[in-house]
Amino acid sequence: MMHWFEGPLAAFDTETTGVDVEQDRIVSAALVAQDTAGGRVRVTRWLVNPGVPVPPGATEIHGLTDDHLQRNGRWPAPVMDEIARALAESCATGRPLVVMNAPFDLTLLDRELRRHRASSLTRYLDGVPMRVVDPRVLDKHLDRYRKGRRTLTDLCARYEVVLDGAHDAAADATASLELVRAVCRRFSARMERLSPSELHTLQATWHAAQARGLEAWFAKSGTPEAVDPSWPLRPELPAAA
């Protein structure tokens, strides 16, 4: 019997102006889909003119300049609508959605939808359940005592997944998809017993525990810092009084 992680998967990734989900913007995004392990990967790409300057530090990472985005990018409002609809359509098929560090990409998309569409990711899903699989959360739970960084590049090296063209949204999404397959194969005795829906629920619990552990580590190091336990989507911040 073929396990779910060998079957249909989709993966989503973004490149952005920075790392603040409340203020930064999406400059490119990709949704990839694969029907079976080793099968053809179908890629949908979006390029966005964010309407704000792209900091040099962000350009150094993904290579997208203000000039390139102004010439070739589309305005955010229609793009965010297309992205959200594409995610909703993919989720409606029951296909698990792979998102590396999901609270970042999904929350940023949600904020862009609120900013440009006066809507939200939840509204676009309209009751369709997301079965998110986050390779970062999986690895931190399944191999929790291993030391070292757990970026996409690090995890791909660890699980022998090819990452060709890091910090390109389509390349990162494709690598994340293959990474989930690799992680689940390595820990198949534990993963094959879980459905994608069960795994989604467990990851929310695992991420919250990981956030508490990271907060405790920060406090012990003398640099207290709050870590949001929400997964896969952070709640909207309350409006300032």
Side-chain angles (χ1 to χ4, degrees):
M1 184 181 76
M2 184 174 71
H3 302 303
W4 66 264
F5 49 83
E6 302 289 359
L9 293 178
F12 176 65
D13 188 74
T14 66
E15 298 299 329
T16 68
T17 60
V19 297
D20 184 340
V21 296
E22 303 298 338
Q23 301 297 329
D24 280 305
R25 312 297 175 89
I26 293 173
V27 295
S28 71
L31 178 65
V32 306
Q34 188 181 46
D35 293 332
T36 187
R40 182 174 66 90
V41 175
R42 301 183 300 279
V43 182
T44 305
R45 303 171 185 264
W46 294 271
L47 190 67
V48 187
N49 178 354
V52 299
V54 180
T59 296
E60 287 179 10
I61 293 173
H62 50 57
L64 298 171
T65 64
D66 282 327
D67 180 67
H68 180 76
L69 294 171
Q70 289 167 10
R71 290 175 180 272
N72 301 287
R74 298 166 55 206
W75 289 113
V79 176
M80 299 311 149
D81 176 72
E82 289 177 16
I83 294 173
R85 289 181 184 276
L87 290 186
E89 289 171 5
S90 180
C91 290
T93 68
R95 189 185 297 260
L97 179 65
V98 175
V99 191
M100 174 74 180
N101 192 16
F104 177 78
D105 294 86
L106 296 182
T107 303
L108 191 54
L109 174 59
D110 177 78
R111 302 313 192 251
E112 288 278 56
L113 291 168
R114 294 175 188 274
R115 182 178 294 120
H116 297 291
R117 305 295 305 187
S119 188
S120 67
L121 184 55
T122 301
R123 289 180 187 173
Y124 273 85
L125 290 167
D126 192 24
V128 173
M130 279 197 305
R131 299 173 178 89
V132 176
V133 186
D134 187 333
R136 186 169 182 266
V137 173
L138 289 186
D139 177 71
K140 288 183 73 173
H141 178 77
L142 295 168
D143 199 0
R144 68 182 70 184
Y145 300 114
R146 188 183 81 249
K147 295 182 179 180
R149 290 157 49 88
R150 299 179 194 250
T151 67
L152 179 60
T153 300
D154 296 317
L155 293 184
C156 284
R158 174 75 179 177
Y159 290 92
E160 300 180 341
V161 169
V162 174
L163 175 54
D164 188 9
H167 301 300
D168 169 82
D172 287 357
T174 302
S176 296
L177 185 152
E178 295 296 343
L179 182 57
V180 162
R181 296 197 193 280
V183 172
C184 289
R185 286 171 189 148
R186 184 168 297 187
F187 296 96
S188 61
R190 299 167 70 179
M191 291 294 99
E192 65 190 18
R193 300 195 300 258
L194 300 171
S195 70
S197 295
E198 292 169 330
L199 184 58
H200 180 101
T201 300
L202 285 170
Q203 286 171 102
T205 301
W206 296 344
H207 180 270
Q210 291 162 10
R212 291 193 299 270
L214 188 55
E215 275 195 352
W217 184 85
F218 283 137
K220 186 177 180 180
S221 301
T223 56
E225 183 177 333
V227 182
D228 196 315
S230 304
W231 184 94
L233 182 67
R234 297 178 188 174
E236 184 183 14
L237 290 176

